[in-house]
Amino acid sequence: MKIKDKTFKILISEKELQSKILAISKAINKDYKDKTPLFIGILNGSFMFVADILKNISLQCEISFIKLASYTEMTSSGSVKELLGLNENIFKRDIIILEDIIDSGKTISSVIEEFKLRGAESVEVATLLLKPDALKVEADIKYIGFEISNEFVVGYGLDYDGLGRNTKAIYQLK
Ligand code: IMP
Ligand code: MG
């Protein structure tokens, strides 16, 4: 598959993705029995993962989305992300964050921190992909689809320069 100047080869097939997603949904159904969790998808990359997870969730639940806006602070700390679009009251709620990929872990750990500050009852994360070799901060991730090597991937919601999100499988740089 070609996107702009780069060529990609298949890494995870549609069938592998769907069977892993079903397993994660089943685990969540079991772990949150008798609870009413609030799922929070992180846009844009998670939209397909969120849709496929939720199709297999049998719990009474809510779903919402947030977006992270990057802006550069004039400090040595570098870039800071602002959380946009969270309208639900998350005080005392059981939150399950749905993310496409965890790379350095900085995005997810700042989101977890923010939800805890706002008084969530519990905060857990389900990520489709994790790059263990890229992790820079400690992050406690309860549900992990696939651990992959530290290479750039695209498809099934993930993009290369805004392109390539619209595929049923995940591809890796060739
Ligand atoms: P982190 O804060 O470094 O963990 O970055 C996570 C975010 O970076 C994800 O939500 C993606 O948007 C993006 N990202 C990281 N690795 C990849 C990749 O291989 N392909 C596409 N997007 C990626
Ligand atoms: Mg993302």
Side-chain angles (χ1 to χ4, degrees):
M1 185 175 71
K2 205 158 158 63
I3 303 173
K4 282 190 157 177
D5 53 326
K6 302 239 185 315
T7 311
F8 293 85
K9 62 180 180 194
I10 193 146
L11 178 68
I12 309 170
S13 71
E14 178 186 9
K15 205 172 155 208
E16 288 174 298
L17 285 174
Q18 293 303 329
S19 85
K20 187 70 81 174
I21 286 165
L22 182 59
I24 294 173
S25 296
K26 281 182 176 167
I28 293 173
N29 285 333
K30 191 160 160 265
D31 295 346
Y32 287 81
K33 191 174 174 285
D34 303 324
K35 291 189 173 155
T36 305
L38 168 57
F39 289 91
I40 309 259
I42 303 182
L43 291 173
N44 294 325
S46 74
F47 75 99
M48 285 205 188
F49 180 52
V50 171
D52 286 335
I53 285 280
L54 266 286
K55 285 177 208 168
N56 297 298
I57 294 294
S58 51
L59 305 162
Q60 184 168 282
C61 65
E62 287 178 66
I63 169 71
S64 190
F65 292 91
I66 57 168
K67 208 167 171 141
L68 296 162
S70 302
Y71 60 94
T72 310
E73 248 195 356
M74 300 306 286
T75 67
S76 56
S77 64
S79 89
V80 174
K81 282 177 176 172
E82 189 193 355
L83 195 153
L84 302 175
L86 186 64
N87 303 314
E88 284 70 18
N89 186 357
I90 66 163
F91 186 69
K92 295 275 182 211
R93 297 298 307 269
D94 293 302
I95 307 294
I96 305 172
I97 303 167
L98 298 175
E99 175 64 307
D100 51 355
I101 184 165
I102 296 174
D103 192 69
S104 71
K106 287 179 184 168
T107 303
I108 205 71
S109 52
S110 69
V111 172
I112 294 170
E113 207 52 43
E114 179 71 25
F115 288 168
K116 286 186 174 162
L117 279 173
R118 295 191 192 199
E121 177 73 27
S122 67
V123 183
E124 298 292 355
V125 177
T127 187
L128 181 61
L129 306 172
L130 174 77
K131 292 179 178 172
D133 298 337
L135 270 181
K136 289 204 175 71
V137 295
E138 219 172 295
D140 187 12
I141 311 301
K142 188 158 188 179
Y143 309 98
I144 299 167
F146 301 88
E147 295 197 351
I148 61 170
S149 65
N150 199 1
E151 271 159 275
F152 193 78
V153 292
V154 73
Y156 192 72
L158 292 136
D159 72 300
Y160 166 51
D161 206 8
L163 301 171
R165 297 188 193 272
N166 51 314
T167 65
K168 293 178 180 175
I170 288 178
Y171 299 80
Q172 187 178 56
L173 207 51
K174 203 167 178 175

